[in-house]
Amino acid sequence: MALDIDVSRRVGPRDIAVRIQSVAGITALFGPSGVGKTTVLNMIAGLIRPDRGHIQVGDTILFDREQSIDLPPHRRDCGYVFQDNRLFPHLRVRANLLYGRRGPIAINLNAIIDLLGIGCLLDRWPATLSGGEAQRVAIGRTLLSNPRLLLLDEPLSSLDGSRKAELLALILEIYRQTAIPILYVSHDERELSALNAHIIALAGH
Amino acid sequence: MMTSLSPEEWMIISLSLRISIVAVLAVLPAAFALAWILARWQFPGKLLLDAAVHLPLVVPPVVTGWALLLLFAKNGPIGSWLFDWFGISLLFRWTGAALAAAIMALPLMVRALRLSIEAIDRRLEQAALTLGASPARTFLTISLPLAFPGLVAGMILGFARCMGEFGATISFVSNIPGETQTIPIAIYAAMQSPGSEMLVARLALISILLSLGALIAAEFLNRKITGRKLDDGTRH
């Protein structure tokens, strides 16, 4: 599934602009902190409206200023894994996982639980999870919502060294099993080379 | 002193409870809507709406009661409409007492609800939307449960305010035993008649116990909701 994104938005004194044209696979949005990478993901997910441009995933136009198309976030099917995991604190892990569940999905619940190694966490409350556990649950929750595109916002930032390598391998495995295109945001070049990603550099102005 | 309640005392207490519970439940949707609007919307005149909601908190209750009397009298703007269309009048009825209590409780409830709505983490609502939940489902399954402690607090606060309501009630619906004579009004009336010291003391004690009970119930409920998320499953 191809990504065709060309958007910009003025945030304060800066212009945040990005152009992504990518056939499939893992695309990485790379740049220093504060350059607007998360803003780009928010525009794609529909949480922030771009000033101009268009966003197309496969055959579906999510946003097009000229054609006045602007799908609301709940109709965009963009699986967004936030940097701060955003698990629902009043729901147990199981209910969090199933919150956005929609079928038919590329990979079933048990396979996702096995893949992410979160079977023993299902009855826990999010407040009792470690950073790595919470991040894996957040990824599982997003995958179960059957997204057309996976947006990962620095998913390794809260993890320590060995956990980073583990989750990186997991992301590669998710891509291998589901073939959902991934847009991966990071400021760490080593992560990107490990993912063998198509890199889009976002420069500061 | 505390033997069983006399029929008269029981009538006063059950009337007070009925008026307060009906008032809180009836005003809750309006209080929540106002709190939501004040917490989330930006519009010209917001300050004015905020001030209007808080008016019953700062105006002397007697004045609020007098204003209700003007509005709901049979020839008043709302009262005549109610009477012509539905044949009902709130004057000197327990429903009028409930209305007065609801108006007096509204600002306190809006304040408590607004604080809890403002405390909702909006990033969680965004997460729900990206998971495909409609705005309505996001509201029901994320926003409302997260605001629940404030909802309980607001209802208890409102209930306590209704149970204590005196000035607006007595000037709007007067003091009619069995219809509008709530606990505070009965205490006041008994204080005016010699030889009723025991009735005053018993009613005063009961009102303290009821308020205390409401507070404890609220605290218990709140702990049960917020506490359980950290209590269990901490093993690693």
Side-chain angles (χ1 to χ4, degrees), chain B residues 166-230:
Chain B
F166 178 78
T169 307
I170 201 163
S171 47
F172 179 35
V173 290
S174 182
N175 170 15
I176 302 166
E179 190 67 41
T180 68
Q181 195 184 60
T182 57
I183 295 174
I185 292 173
I187 290 176
Y188 179 76
M191 281 168 72
Q192 310 299 308
S193 60
S196 302
E197 290 82 6
M198 194 56 102
L199 180 63
V200 172
R202 286 169 64 107
L203 287 175
L205 196 60
I206 285 162
S207 68
I208 292 170
L209 288 177
L210 284 172
S211 308
L212 211 59
L215 272 181
I216 292 169
E219 188 59 33
F220 177 74
L221 207 64
N222 233 335
R223 276 199 199 161
K224 218 176 146 181
I225 295 161
T226 52
R228 67 173 187 212
K229 277 150 212 156
L230 291 169

Side-chain angles (χ1 to χ4, degrees), chain A:
Chain A
M1 216 170 351
L3 291 180
D4 180 5
I5 296 166
D6 179 8
V7 287
S8 68
R9 180 184 166 97
R10 197 158 186 84
V11 179
R14 292 184 301 127
D15 254 328
I16 291 170
V18 70
R19 184 174 296 167
I20 302 170
Q21 242 139 13
S22 151
V23 188
I26 304 179
T27 309
L29 210 52
F30 173 73
S33 296
V35 80
K37 302 188 294 292
T38 300
T39 305
V40 172
L41 290 193
N42 285 338
M43 286 194 276
I44 296 168
L47 301 176
I48 295 178
R49 181 172 302 160
D51 293 335
R52 55 150 287 277
H54 63 267
I55 299 166
Q56 185 168 353
V57 180
D59 303 328
T60 313
I61 300 169
L62 304 183
F63 177 85
D64 192 318
R65 185 65 201 263
E66 269 77 59
Q67 298 183 54
S68 299
I69 295 173
D70 185 8
L71 290 183
H74 65 283
R75 298 226 182 84
R76 291 201 179 194
D77 298 339
C78 286
Y80 196 162
V81 178
F82 301 90
Q83 196 173 353
D84 49 353
N85 77 62
R86 303 195 191 182
L87 296 180
F88 304 130
H90 59 297
L91 301 176
R92 287 179 194 268
V93 166
R94 186 192 309 274
N96 263 285
L97 282 172
L98 298 178
Y99 186 85
R101 192 179 187 186
R102 272 173 301 185
I105 48 178
I107 175 169
N108 72 38
L109 176 63
N110 290 330
I112 285 176
I113 289 171
D114 284 346
L115 181 64
L116 296 168
I118 53 179
C120 57
L121 307 177
L122 294 178
D123 292 321
R124 301 250 299 258
W125 295 102
T128 70
L129 302 179
S130 72
E133 288 170 339
Q135 201 58 280
R136 279 181 286 155
V137 172
I139 291 172
R141 181 178 72 173
T142 302
L143 285 175
L144 281 164
S145 73
N146 197 22
R148 66 173 100 235
L149 167 68
L150 212 48
L151 306 170
L152 303 180
D153 190 4
E154 308 222 14
L156 310 188
S157 62
S158 64
L159 307 180
D160 52 43
S162 60
R163 292 281 169 187
K164 277 188 185 175
E166 254 175 52
L167 196 60
L168 218 44
L170 193 60
I171 289 166
L172 275 171
E173 183 61 21
I174 287 167
Y175 177 68
R176 201 182 61 75
Q177 289 197 23
T178 64
I180 299 171
I182 293 176
L183 190 58
Y184 187 101
V185 157
S186 176
H187 63 264
D188 187 343
E189 269 171 296
R190 284 166 302 175
E191 292 174 18
L192 304 186
S193 56
L195 288 170
N196 193 21
H198 171 62
I199 295 175
I200 311 266
L202 207 59
H205 291 281

Side-chain angles (χ1 to χ4, degrees), chain B residues 37-125:
Chain B
I37 288 167
L38 289 172
R40 289 287 175 92
W41 295 9
Q42 298 300 333
F43 55 94
K46 180 170 164 176
L47 215 63
L48 223 60
L49 178 67
D50 201 10
V53 167
H54 281 86
L55 220 49
L57 200 62
V58 290
V59 164
V62 175
V63 174
T64 303
W66 171 73
L68 287 173
L69 196 57
L70 290 185
L71 288 172
F72 285 89
K74 276 192 186 134
N75 52 2
I78 303 177
S80 61
W81 178 80
L82 275 179
F83 192 73
D84 290 346
W85 285 88
F86 303 104
I88 53 174
S89 168
L90 301 183
L91 245 55
F92 310 115
R93 302 294 312 278
W94 74 270
T95 45
L99 176 70
I103 296 288
M104 296 306 292
L106 181 73
L108 288 173
M109 291 174 70
V110 170
R111 285 177 81 89
L113 289 169
R114 181 178 176 175
L115 282 177
S116 69
I117 290 168
E118 282 170 349
I120 297 172
D121 189 345
R122 302 190 69 171
R123 297 171 309 158
L124 295 174
E125 296 174 331

